[in-house]
Amino acid sequence: MSDCIFCKIIDKKIPARIIYEDEHVLAFEDVNPQAPVHTLVIPRKHIPTLLDIKEEDNNLIGHLVKVANKIANDKGIAKRGFRIVANCNPESGQTVYHIHLHILGGRQMHWPPG
Ligand code: AMP
């Protein structure tokens, strides 16, 4: 989508610190990190919210989570513990309407989240 900031990152029209990419997904560092590790994993396919995921996206979503796990492993936070967050719609705090997993780690997480 032409006005989607994450599609622009995918198309390399705006810069990002990309740490992983393959045919289906991309991972890059969050520009406003909330933890020592804060990486975003996104599908190349433009899907606005979690509610827009279709049956045909099942493999894609599984792959997205596996890539998130790989990044947690590569960054050395997997065994210590990490959090995956996916916000959906305004009250959750979603600001970018292209689905993404936040991988957060490297510090003690708290519950309930803010
Ligand atoms: P959410 O609020 O769940 O929609 O998360 C959007 C995330 O994208 C926020 O954590 C932002 O800091 C991050 N973000 C927005 N623009 C960029 C960008 N150009 N590069 C990297 N991260 C971004």
Side-chain angles (χ1 to χ4, degrees):
M1 255 188 61
S2 58
D3 60 344
C4 169
I5 193 162
F6 285 178
C7 286
K8 287 181 183 159
I9 289 175
I10 290 164
D11 293 339
K12 311 278 165 65
K13 287 182 178 150
I14 64 167
R17 287 173 51 209
I18 296 171
I19 60 163
Y20 176 88
E21 59 183 316
D22 65 27
E23 193 184 344
H24 300 292
V25 309
L26 203 79
F28 52 94
E29 305 298 4
D30 196 293
V31 77
N32 183 22
Q34 302 301 311
V37 173
H38 189 171
T39 303
L40 303 174
V41 193
I42 67 172
R44 289 187 186 275
K45 178 177 178 183
H46 181 84
I47 302 172
T49 77
L50 295 178
L51 296 169
D52 299 305
I53 293 169
K54 309 276 189 247
E55 193 73 25
E56 70 208 35
D57 300 318
N58 285 355
N59 287 344
L60 176 61
I61 301 305
H63 183 56
L64 203 68
V65 174
K66 282 186 183 161
V67 169
N69 286 345
K70 172 187 159 37
I71 288 163
N73 270 306
D74 290 351
K75 287 189 173 264
I77 56 169
K79 286 214 160 56
R80 290 173 60 185
F82 63 102
R83 185 172 290 174
I84 290 182
V85 172
N87 294 320
C88 182
N89 277 338
E91 216 164 282
S92 75
Q94 184 174 4
T95 57
V96 178
Y97 282 75
H98 180 128
I99 60 166
H100 48 281
L101 300 181
H102 296 256
I103 306 165
L104 294 152
R107 68 166 168 81
Q108 181 62 52
M109 296 290 156
H110 304 284
W111 198 263

